[in-house]
Amino acid sequence: TRLWKDDHSSIVPLANALVERGLAKVSDYSAALALGGAGPLRTAEAIAKTNRIRIWHNYVPPSNEDSHFENMGRSRKIQGKVIEVVSGDSVIIEDSQTGEEMKVMLSSVRAPRIAPLGRGARERSVKDEPYAREAKEFVRTRVIGKKVEINFEYTKTIAGNDARDIPEKIIEFATIALIGEVVKKPPQYNNHGIPIEAEPEDAPNLAELLVIRGLASVVRHRENEARSYKYDDLLVAESKAIQQKKGVHSPKDAPIPHDLNDASENVKKATQFLPFLQRAGKFHGVVEHCINGHRFRVSSQNAGAVFTLSLSGVRCPTRDEPFAKEALNYVRNRVNQREVQVAANSVDKTGTFRGTLECNTLTLDLASELVRAGLARVSFHGDANALEVEKAAKIARVGIWKDWDEEAEEARRLAEEMKANNLGGFNEDQNPARFYGSKLHDEENNNNSNNNNDNGLHSPGGSGKVNGPPGYEGGVMNKNGNTSPGGYLSSVNSSASSTAAAPVVRKDDQQIQQQQSTRNQYDNRRGSSSSAYPQARDSGPPVYTTRLGVTETLREGKFFAQILERSVANELWQLVQKEYANDDPDVKAPPPGFEPKVNDLIAIKSLEDNRWYRATVNFRDENAKELDVMCIDFGHNERTSIRHARPLHSSVSLNSYPPQARLCQLAHIAMPSRHSDYKDFAESEFQRLVHGGEFHAVVDARMKKFDFDHAWSSAVDARPELTLTIWPVEDDEEEASNNKKDSKLAKPYSPEQFLPERSIQGILAASGLCRMSRFKVGYTKTSEDNREAIQGEVDRARRDHCGMFEYGDVDSDWER
């Protein structure tokens, strides 16, 4: 129905006339479907509201929110780039002019919600709403990394909670249009079939694209609520989606999303996935989240897994380090939520995959791009190409190399090499801890040692023969491979005045004299006929020496030691004593419900020195209510009652401080087999030379996936974490190192440092108390040269019929 206007100039629809005169309201449900669209009706209603006539005489316009945006320092219409998609109706925008990041919600639409992350959500079995992932994926593929236009329209305030320190939050709603794309509108005609002048083409509205595909629904606003200026278009799009039964409007059940396996959940699971990813080579994936400049969460439908990836060979600044924020912004702008090509090479001890990442937004792979931009350092195992790129960045003084100092960089690289080999890597200000045993034997063992020396047991000298076995009745190892009582525990000063003080103990004079006597006699036997030690070659990767203190000796050349570089053993010792200072097992019982089981980590109070130790339970005697434990910071075993055990506090847990005792083994040599008459004597000599000493060490091999549980329960049968070539630290070296500030850093290896006659392997080999191992370890030039030198000592002992070679060559098929 149509009416003439008051001035009879034209004919208008009856509905428009009623609305303009304040006699009717526009219905949101049907206005969008009106012929010619809802625009004329909205215009007529705006006129009636402005004039406040009839039904609008008490009309109060909604509050103007321009003040909010003025306080934020930006206009209501800006341009920016989408750098992250949070959900189907929420994105993070970077302002093109200011670089400010802001979270924006789409106006007047609601997409299905994605289940929140976290333990609480998993316990409540909170799941994604139907089509939530599809909506997010659609928005990601359409707008991520693209330039958009944002028209802010209204805000909503979420009240805070002062009791929980939750601040008030303001959510900004806007209409987002895709710049560079256009929507061609179909031609429109009036009632007489005459074409209406076409409106200018608009950029696609992201909310409308979602609604028309059934991936979002339109919010039904109240009468005076602010809404999207494209609200009528959204209603039309929703009606089409309902008619076509798309997405959330479909009567069928929503497709069940395929949950990907978390391959980085733990080390065991990551190790199982690694062969599949390696065989796949480069595979397709999507970067879900950027943790920092070099760590990412990547999902791959092809691999059927989501995992954490760390760029191999480089490291970016993290946390509060300089340029950490710049590195994170760099990767977020280039690879965040982008489709990438990933190749996994290895897995570290946390279950993180190491590999490469490439994206079509980059010229080179991401690691090289970060290095070229001066936002990453090449680690010590980086390839030659990466080192060349880093060198160019240093010369250009970009990023982290702005104030580059070559000398300081060299010191940092030494520390990184040591940390990568798990040789410390903690607080640089901590003093090296020296709590190793000084008394190698108790009084009974010392008396036995003196008697044995009278019977002809001595270090190699004169003819070079050791006449102890087969009549040798020396020290005996216990069933766990540890020395008989003595060692570390007998060396602790039980009369210490404070439980917080670390037991700092030095080697006694008797041990020093015995070791020096053995070396001097060995030097005299060699005489002038000794061959020159082959010098280490200059080629090959850099080799570093570390310093360690032996805390416990086992059988077959194995021992527990503490790494002195960057050690926190002193700090940990004092902290453990402080944590349990007020807990006296003789007065207080263990807390209710405390029932330690096998492999549990606990704290025990030693019966020998009344000090507290971190320990793991190896066996529980239910009848005697006793525990067999191993102290994980020193390597010695104890048997204690359950009453003297306590739960391990979080401040001294493994998450705060890793085990300080490292299972080590002498490289290149094998001790006499169990069938040899020299077995006990060789083990006793090894214990005398090593236990309680401080040594230089070259790491010939290191197990990347070390099984601590196996080492703690059966150290003799476990494979060692570190395979070392060691030689003692002289007293003048020890005094000089204490005066140097950089004594806590690993030192570059020099061939002049190692002499076979000074190394523990060389002394044992020259005495005829070991043979060369059939298992070769270490593939560097230094390891090769050291092995050749020790081989020469074994050959010399064989020719001179020393020790186990007294009656000729003892090598046979059944020996290791």
Side-chain angles (χ1 to χ4, degrees):
T1 305
R2 293 176 171 271
L3 297 175
W4 286 95
K5 279 190 176 183
D6 294 339
D7 55 0
H8 300 279
S9 59
S10 62
I11 299 176
V12 296
L14 177 59
N16 293 17
L18 290 172
V19 171
E20 186 175 354
R21 289 166 173 77
L23 297 174
K25 296 180 181 180
V26 177
S27 174
D28 294 333
Y29 298 97
S30 58
L33 303 178
L35 187 65
L41 291 175
R42 297 291 184 190
T43 303
E45 187 178 51
I47 295 173
K49 289 179 178 179
T50 303
N51 297 329
R52 297 187 180 183
I53 56 177
R54 296 180 177 86
I55 63 176
W56 302 111
H57 68 282
N58 292 327
Y59 170 72
V60 178
S63 60
N64 190 351
E65 298 181 352
D66 289 339
S67 59
H68 166 75
F69 298 100
E70 290 177 0
N71 295 334
M72 298 294 293
R74 62 171 184 263
S75 63
R76 300 189 66 152
K77 187 174 183 179
I78 63 173
Q79 290 186 356
K81 184 174 69 172
V82 179
I83 60 175
E84 185 176 346
V85 176
V86 181
S87 63
D89 56 3
S90 176
V91 295
I92 295 180
I93 307 291
E94 182 184 49
D95 193 339
S96 300
Q97 295 183 351
T98 63
E100 177 190 0
E101 293 184 9
M102 62 197 78
K103 183 177 180 180
V104 179
M105 301 284 290
L106 296 180
S107 299
S108 301
V109 298
R110 182 189 183 278
R113 294 288 178 256
I114 296 178
L117 300 177
R119 180 179 177 182
R122 291 195 299 268
E123 291 178 349
R124 297 192 305 269
S125 299
V126 180
K127 297 182 179 180
D128 297 339
E129 293 182 4
Y131 296 97
R133 296 188 184 181
E134 288 82 353
K136 180 180 178 181
E137 182 65 14
F138 171 77
V139 175
R140 185 193 69 80
T141 55
R142 287 302 298 263
V143 302
I144 190 68
K146 294 183 179 179
K147 194 173 182 180
V148 294
E149 184 178 81
I150 304 99
N151 290 280
F152 292 101
E153 290 162 327
Y154 59 94
T155 62
K156 286 186 178 180
T157 303
I158 299 178
N161 190 329
D162 296 336
R164 298 183 180 181
D165 293 333
I166 300 177
E168 184 182 73
K169 187 177 181 181
I170 298 178
I171 302 178
E172 299 174 340
F173 292 82
T175 296
I176 298 179
L178 280 62
I179 298 178
E181 301 182 26
V182 294
V183 177
K184 293 184 178 180
K185 297 183 178 181
Q188 296 183 0
Y189 303 90
N190 60 15
N191 293 338
H192 303 284
I194 301 174
I196 301 175
E197 184 178 355
E199 297 181 2
E201 295 177 344
D202 294 334
N205 179 11
L206 180 60
E208 187 177 352
L209 295 177
L210 276 169
V211 171
I212 202 170
R213 287 167 174 79
L215 299 178
S217 57
V218 180
V219 177
R220 306 304 177 186
H221 291 284
R222 296 186 180 90
E223 182 178 318
N224 293 331
E225 256 188 345
R227 62 191 69 189
S228 171
Y229 76 98
K230 294 279 188 179
Y231 190 72
D232 296 323
D233 294 338
L234 295 177
L235 292 173
V236 173
E238 186 179 41
S239 65
K240 292 180 180 179
I242 294 174
Q243 290 176 2
Q244 299 175 7
K245 299 180 180 180
K246 288 185 176 181
V248 296
H249 309 293
S250 174
K252 299 179 181 179
D253 293 336
I256 300 175
H258 175 62
D259 292 329
L260 301 177
N261 289 320
D262 188 356
S264 296
E265 183 177 358
N266 52 57
V267 181
K268 183 178 180 180
K269 198 170 184 179
T271 306
Q272 294 173 348
F273 264 92
L274 180 61
F276 300 99
L277 300 184
Q278 288 178 329
R279 284 196 294 268
K282 289 185 179 180
F283 54 91
H284 177 269
V286 176
V287 177
E288 298 290 345
H289 176 62
C290 297
I291 302 173
N292 54 42
H294 62 272
R295 286 171 62 89
F296 313 92
R297 275 300 266 185
V298 181
S299 64
S300 174
Q301 295 290 342
N302 296 344
V306 57
F307 54 90
T308 304
L309 176 72
S310 178
L311 297 180
S312 179
V314 300
R315 181 189 180 277
C316 296
T318 58
R319 297 181 182 177
D320 297 331
E321 298 178 6
F323 291 94
K325 185 177 180 181
E326 288 80 355
L328 180 59
N329 291 338
Y330 185 90
V331 295
R332 288 186 68 197
N333 287 327
R334 288 162 176 79
V335 301
N336 189 35
Q337 296 187 337
R338 307 294 213 291
E339 297 182 0
V340 295
Q341 294 292 322
V342 181
N345 303 326
S346 61
V347 174
D348 65 11
K349 61 183 180 181
T350 64
T352 299
F353 292 84
R354 293 185 178 275
T356 60
L357 188 148
E358 298 178 0
C359 184
N360 56 8
T361 60
L362 305 173
T363 305
L364 306 174
D365 64 281
L366 182 57
S368 299
E369 292 284 359
L370 286 167
V371 174
R372 184 166 64 176
L375 298 175
R377 302 176 187 270
V378 179
S379 59
F380 69 95
H381 50 74
D383 57 20
N385 294 334
L387 291 173
E388 289 296 327
V389 175
E390 184 184 52
K391 185 178 180 180
K394 291 178 179 179
I395 296 175
R397 305 279 178 174
V398 295
I400 59 178
W401 311 115
K402 181 180 180 181
D403 301 319
W404 176 57
D405 184 359
E406 187 173 2
E407 295 181 358
E409 175 66 16
E410 182 63 23
R412 185 207 60 79
R413 187 173 293 277
L414 293 178
E416 185 178 285
E417 161 71 13
M418 178 191 61
K419 182 176 181 179
N421 283 282
N422 246 4
L423 303 179
F426 296 94
N427 189 353
E428 189 174 8
D429 297 330
Q430 295 298 331
N431 294 323
R434 293 189 176 87
F435 23 91
Y436 350 106
S438 63
K439 298 180 181 179
L440 299 180
H441 309 279
D442 54 15
E443 294 180 359
E444 181 180 354
N445 289 338
N446 285 332
N447 294 334
N448 291 337
S449 177
N450 295 333
N451 294 335
N452 290 333
N453 287 337
D454 295 339
N455 292 331
L457 293 180
H458 54 80
S459 300
S463 64
K465 296 184 178 181
V466 180
N467 301 321
Y472 173 69
E473 300 294 341
V476 180
M477 302 288 177
N478 61 29
K479 63 181 181 180
N480 293 326
N482 299 71
T483 57
S484 51
Y488 169 74
L489 291 179
S490 64
S491 69
V492 176
N493 183 5
S494 59
S495 61
S497 59
S498 173
T499 58
V504 181
V505 184
R506 299 286 183 176
K507 296 182 289 185
D508 59 0
D509 296 338
Q510 181 181 1
Q511 181 191 0
I512 297 175
Q513 292 175 2
Q514 288 176 344
Q515 292 182 354
Q516 189 62 40
S517 174
T518 300
R519 297 169 189 153
N520 293 339
Q521 293 178 17
Y522 169 70
D523 292 340
N524 295 335
R525 183 182 68 81
R526 285 177 57 92
S528 60
S529 62
S530 61
S531 59
Y533 170 63
Q535 297 297 314
R537 304 171 182 87
D538 294 335
S539 59
V543 178
Y544 295 87
T545 63
T546 186
R547 295 179 68 167
L548 53 86
V550 177
T551 58
E552 194 72 9
T553 53
L554 309 174
R555 297 197 303 264
E556 300 178 1
K558 293 182 180 178
F559 55 93
F560 280 102
Q562 293 178 350
I563 304 301
L564 299 187
E565 274 77 16
R566 294 175 175 263
S567 174
V568 294
N570 241 337
E571 173 192 353
L572 174 60
W573 170 267
Q574 297 175 13
L575 185 57
V576 171
Q577 308 310 313
K578 182 179 178 181
E579 285 289 323
Y580 298 92
N582 298 325
D583 197 342
D584 188 357
D586 297 331
V587 178
K588 297 181 181 179
F594 175 63
E595 292 293 336
K597 301 180 180 62
V598 175
N599 294 332
D600 282 357
L601 289 173
I602 60 174
I604 66 162
K605 189 170 185 179
S606 174
L607 298 177
E608 298 193 25
D609 61 354
N610 291 326
R611 299 297 183 94
W612 287 93
Y613 297 90
R614 300 192 305 169
T616 180
V617 180
N618 291 335
F619 176 74
R620 173 169 175 163
D621 190 341
E622 295 291 350
N623 297 327
K625 297 295 182 181
E626 291 183 342
L627 303 172
D628 285 341
V629 301
M630 195 209 80
C631 298
I632 63 176
D633 296 320
F634 299 92
H636 64 278
N637 292 327
E638 279 201 35
R639 188 174 180 87
T640 185
S641 66
I642 296 180
R643 185 178 181 87
H644 285 73
R646 294 292 185 271
L648 194 63
H649 295 178
S650 60
S651 59
V652 292
S653 66
L654 290 187
N655 293 331
S656 302
Y657 295 93
Q660 299 299 302
R662 316 292 284 279
L663 181 59
C664 308
Q665 186 172 22
L666 296 179
H668 311 308
I669 67 170
M671 303 297 286
S673 70
R674 62 183 182 275
H675 304 285
S676 175
D677 294 336
Y678 284 83
K679 173 67 174 177
D680 291 339
F681 179 61
E683 297 289 358
S684 178
E685 187 72 4
F686 164 68
Q687 174 195 351
R688 184 181 67 82
L689 291 172
V690 174
H691 190 93
E694 186 174 335
F695 299 90
H696 294 294
V698 170
V699 180
D700 294 282
R702 174 179 173 268
M703 188 185 300
K704 293 183 178 180
K705 303 166 187 174
F706 182 65
D707 188 356
F708 281 101
D709 293 337
H710 188 200
W712 293 339
S713 60
S714 180
V716 174
D717 299 330
R719 294 180 61 187
E721 181 183 6
L722 301 173
T723 305
L724 311 169
T725 302
I726 64 174
W727 62 97
V729 175
E730 303 297 339
D731 293 337
D732 53 347
E733 291 183 73
E734 184 175 345
E735 182 178 356
S737 65
N738 291 336
N739 298 328
K740 291 184 179 179
K741 295 181 180 180
D742 61 345
S743 61
K744 305 162 196 173
L745 299 177
K747 305 299 190 300
Y749 173 79
S750 173
E752 292 75 12
Q753 289 180 282
F754 177 81
L755 297 175
E757 63 270 18
R758 298 296 181 187
S759 68
I760 299 300
Q761 286 97 323
I763 294 175
L764 293 174
S767 305
L769 298 178
C770 68
R771 56 189 291 278
M772 296 303 294
S773 174
R774 292 190 298 113
F775 303 101
K776 185 177 179 181
V777 296
Y779 296 94
T780 63
K781 299 299 183 182
T782 299
S783 295
E784 295 279 355
D785 291 341
N786 293 347
R787 183 180 176 87
E788 291 176 7
I790 298 171
Q791 177 72 62
E793 300 303 321
V794 174
D795 294 340
R796 186 182 302 278
R798 183 182 290 110
R799 291 195 303 268
D800 295 344
H801 297 278
C802 295
M804 59 191 293
F805 304 107
E806 181 178 5
Y807 301 108
D809 195 350
V810 297
D811 292 345
S812 60
D813 293 337
W814 50 262
E815 285 194 285
R816 291 189 307 158

